[in-house]
């Protein structure tokens, strides 16, 4: 049995697993410490009433012969594809339901997408970026090529010069971990680049609901020409608290062809062998996110996270720590003080402030010396964290 | 952008899609025909009260801050892993919870498993077999090697002679599509073969709940030595009507090592990048399958399918059609009469009997001239089908 070298070569650990390990150790050695987590990007919940009502109804459907749903369409139910398409169209990215593919979360398709490619191809990835994508790439035998995100480019790298072959580009905007958001001109440059290189642009819009400035694009399809080169991967995790309920979608525009091959057709063929779709109960819940009540209720939860972000940003500013993101994103990206390394600052914050964040190095080598805070906590904890932060940093003076 | 040749080369269509297309065409041309489907292996439902009660409770958990569940463990919740492990142990296949990995259905892991291998390796597959596995294999750049299932070997091929390199063997027992079931000695021969060749035995137990003879193995781990060479892929689809609710599990024994590399560890590492686990609501439902009420209620649904099988088998016998399976399986496998091809018999049954089955050729070249009937229908329809079958076959005399 010959094993997959790409998989064998992955770092022994995923950054979040190492964070959990260090936190568990600290908690067991300091049982009285009141830890506050600004680490993992998990929502605080709960799921809003409009959605849980729809899910309860769907469970009742499954309990009756006449309304029971067995195997669903691999691409997802029409009722949900229509709702997603309408929402995208409404915000200026017109997409028909046939282009929408429902998934059990963005992570699944972010990895699965590399099944489309011949192994060995080059994939451009920001550094720092969501680490799962780099891992998926390697697992599938693709070659990740780094796009350095720096303070100078605002952590928003633009297309590189040179003419090496490129098969795909992965962009996440608003970005995980930096919270940086591409504007229209920058995304237009990426669309132009992908089209000229015949590369697939993989646009991760998991955090689009945090964008409040109407001038900033929330979908790649707001950019002319994107349908010829881009897929978009969306999620219900952050907008509606679906981290534990698992639903997302991927857009494969009909217009997306590679030398006469329809990528939508190829993806549909892949799904026929790889998936039996997403739970009916979950899809009913996701569709309710778009109901008038669902929109109102999820907007209220988002407002809480935005207020958390604002507070954290204010606390960082007050403490004199340079930071980015947090305005159209649940993530704040900060420079570790006193030249500390990412893990050094992690251990310092844990030890002296009982605060948990995520070391920037976990998102790529360029993340060394930086640190991510997440605004997904409950307001009381975030307020306490904002209070502890300046006092903790005093220890460094 | 260089596309995946393995994916490009897949037959334009999946057998079940072509079946749907022909049925839709016939139905639109014959709007008065009362079609009965014995085709796709979907259950009739509904989901039993013990399970829907647990799901309703879980939805309520998600609606409250205090009981909300965000990201779950990638490997699945301990409560469900414990329940699965206990059930396997109880039926003579002792497995600890740490070896259980919860999935959103057997199909997902049947494809994902090939991520463990270096591309190019050989995978032994029965012919006929569940077509998705052959496709997954090709998509991942593996080489499928056929094990011919014939009337002579009872559609239960044994390990081949010769010493070509083999990376994996995929076995499904009770088998889809033939309904054939391996006995202990036969599985022991496969375990011995896999161990001697350092190949991974992928055992698909999706239909184990249909086995009533206690002498027939329901898990590969009833066979000594299996933990050193085999993974087992299980499903809640057929036992508990989860085809539209999506839950399954894969067993990676701690003992399964390849030259010092733990496959369990490798799978866990893969999942960290590829999955955020399965919906909390779904896992709560799956765990309730193992409650006393859940066991009783699912057993009742299975008894209905068994009675359907028995009736179909009797009708085939009465009509003089040679057939296999159906005793420990929801599938009956029959030889097409008068030398008809699989699709020829499909069209004949559709036209003259308004009956829908699945052409054997869809499961591999060796399936040509055979046909699969599924016993998952409701009893009234199955009874009607049993009534129509002999009358329809009269047209061939």
């Amino acid at each position: 049995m010959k094993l997959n070298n790409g998989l064998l070569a992955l770092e022994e650990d995923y950054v979040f697993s190492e964070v959990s390990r260090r936190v568990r150790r600290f908690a067991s050695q300091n049982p009285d410490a009141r830890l506050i987590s600004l680490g993992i990007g998990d929502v605080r919940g709960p799921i809003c009433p409009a959605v849980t009502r729809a899910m309860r109804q769907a469970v009742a459907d499954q309990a009756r012969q006449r309304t029971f749903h067995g195997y669903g369409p691999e691409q997802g139910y029409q009722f949900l594809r229509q709702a997603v398409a309408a929402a995208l169209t409404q915000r200026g990215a017109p997409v028909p339901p046939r282009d929408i593919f429902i998934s059990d979360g963005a992570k699944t398709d972010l990895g699965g997408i590399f099944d489309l490619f011949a192994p060995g191809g080059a994939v451009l990835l920001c550094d720092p970026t969501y680490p799962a994508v780099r891992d998926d790439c390697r697992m599938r035998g693709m070659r990740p090529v780094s796009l350095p995100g720096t303070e100078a480019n605002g952590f928003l790298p633009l297309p590189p010069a040179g003419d090496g072959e490129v098969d795909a580009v992965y962009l996440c905007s608003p970005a995980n971990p930096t919270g940086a958001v591409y504007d229209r001109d920058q995304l237009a440059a990426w669309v132009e680049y992908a089209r000229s290189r015949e590369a697939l642009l993989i646009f991760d819009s998991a955090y689009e609901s945090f964008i409040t400035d109407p001038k900033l694009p929330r979908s790649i399809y707001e950019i002319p020409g994107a349908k010829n080169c881009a897929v978009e991967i969306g999620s219900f995790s952050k907008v509606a608290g679906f981290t534990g309920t698992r639903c997302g979608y991927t857009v494969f525009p009909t217009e997306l062809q590679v030398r006469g091959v329809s990528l939508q057709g190829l993806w549909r063929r892949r799904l026929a062998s790889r998936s039996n779709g997403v739970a009916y109960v979950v899809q009913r819940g996701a569709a309710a996110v778009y109901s008038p009540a669902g929109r109102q209720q999820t907007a209220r939860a988002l407002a809480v996270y935005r207020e958390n972000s604002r507070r954290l940003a204010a606390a960082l500013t007050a403490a004199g720590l340079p930071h980015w993101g947090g305005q159209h994103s649940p993530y704040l990206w900060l420079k570790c003080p006193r030249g500390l390394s990412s893990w050094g600052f992690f251990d310092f914050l844990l030890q002296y402030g009982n605060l948990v964040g995520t070391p920037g190095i976990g998102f790529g080598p360029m993340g060394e010396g930086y640190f991510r805070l997440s605004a997904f906590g409950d307001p009381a904890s975030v307020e306490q964290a904002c209070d502890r932060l300046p006092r903790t940093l005093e220890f460094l003076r």
Side-chain angles (χ1 to χ4, degrees), chain A:
Chain A
M1 182 179 175
K2 280 189 289 301
L3 297 173
N4 177 350
N5 283 325
L7 177 54
L8 283 170
L10 294 185
E11 288 76 29
E12 179 57 26
D13 260 302
Y14 195 61
V15 56
F16 297 110
S17 320
E18 176 61 19
V19 166
S20 307
R21 201 171 2 257
R22 293 198 190 198
V23 169
R24 272 198 310 273
R25 196 173 51 210
F26 180 83
S28 77
Q29 290 165 353
N30 303 273
D32 296 332
R34 295 202 36 230
L35 292 178
I36 296 177
S37 174
L38 304 169
I40 194 165
D42 198 358
V43 296
R44 60 189 279 264
I47 294 185
C48 70
V51 171
T52 51
R53 191 178 311 122
M55 291 178 73
R56 216 161 44 232
Q57 179 55 51
V59 171
D61 288 349
Q62 294 297 66
R64 280 191 307 264
Q65 185 74 71
R66 219 169 35 80
T67 50
F68 173 75
H69 286 69
Y71 286 125
E74 288 127 17
Q75 192 175 343
Y77 282 102
Q78 180 73 7
F79 65 77
L80 180 53
R81 292 192 283 121
Q82 255 161 357
V84 173
L88 280 165
T89 301
Q90 197 187 18
R91 72 170 88 118
V95 169
R98 74 163 176 278
D99 292 2
I100 308 286
F101 290 73
I102 304 304
S103 72
D104 74 333
K107 202 176 185 181
T108 302
D109 281 358
L110 279 176
I113 195 92
F114 296 111
D115 281 352
L116 292 175
F117 298 89
V123 182
L124 301 191
L125 296 167
C126 297
D127 175 4
T129 196
Y130 181 41
V133 180
R134 191 184 291 115
D135 292 350
D136 292 336
C137 225
R138 287 189 195 157
M139 219 185 290
R140 191 64 186 77
M142 306 291 287
R143 244 175 335 109
V145 177
S146 281
L147 296 164
T150 61
E151 294 182 25
N153 64 23
F155 304 101
L156 294 169
L158 286 172
D163 56 2
E165 252 184 74
V166 172
D167 286 78
V169 181
Y170 167 74
L171 298 181
C172 180
S173 176
N176 180 6
T178 62
V181 191
Y182 280 110
D183 68 21
R184 245 166 247 281
D185 290 343
Q186 290 166 326
L187 284 186
W190 273 115
V191 164
E192 165 61 25
Y193 176 82
R195 294 188 67 171
S196 71
R197 308 298 286 264
E198 276 209 323
L200 182 67
L201 181 52
I202 303 164
F203 187 77
D204 179 348
S205 69
Y207 300 96
E208 54 78 19
S209 56
F210 286 89
I211 294 180
T212 47
D213 181 347
K215 287 198 296 298
L216 290 173
R218 290 173 60 180
S219 164
I220 192 70
Y221 304 117
E222 294 178 40
I223 310 300
K227 286 193 175 182
N228 298 107
C229 65
V231 298
E232 179 161 305
I233 298 185
S235 170
F236 293 93
S237 282
K238 314 296 157 124
V239 65
F242 268 50
T243 49
T245 300
R246 314 304 314 137
C247 200
Y249 60 86
T250 299
V251 186
F252 272 90
T254 308
E255 293 86 342
L256 186 52
Q257 313 263 339
V258 175
R259 291 179 300 279
V261 176
S262 155
L263 288 201
Q264 182 184 105
L266 212 55
W267 189 251
R268 194 174 280 118
R269 183 61 188 83
R270 173 188 178 273
L271 277 188
S273 293
R274 287 302 306 271
S275 168
N276 273 316
V278 174
Y280 168 72
V281 173
V282 170
Q283 292 192 59
R284 279 287 178 206
V289 171
Y290 299 107
S291 67
R295 280 174 198 261
Q296 264 178 27
Q297 293 162 3
T298 53
R300 243 173 275 151
L302 285 172
V304 172
Y305 299 140
R306 284 208 195 92
E307 176 60 16
N308 285 347
S309 279
R310 201 197 51 73
R311 280 186 184 174
L312 283 168
L316 292 173
T317 303
L321 278 191
H323 59 96
W324 297 263
Q327 203 185 351
H328 302 288
S329 159
Y331 296 129
L332 292 103
W333 184 245
L334 59 94
K335 188 161 195 162
C336 302
R338 304 258 156 184
L340 278 175
S341 73
S342 294
W343 279 114
F345 189 57
F346 176 90
D347 290 332
F348 167 78
L349 270 190
L350 182 60
Q351 190 81 43
Y352 291 87
N354 299 343
L355 295 170
V356 180
T358 310
I361 182 80
F363 301 95
M366 294 294 291
E368 178 59 295
Y370 293 88
F371 201 76
R372 189 189 80 174
L373 296 180
S374 148
F376 282 121
D378 72 284
S381 302
V382 169
E383 197 173 339
Q384 237 184 321
C386 292
D387 193 49
R388 279 191 205 168
L389 207 54
R391 286 192 286 127
T392 307
L393 291 169
E394 285 297 318
F395 287 101
L396 286 175
R397 285 184 205 278

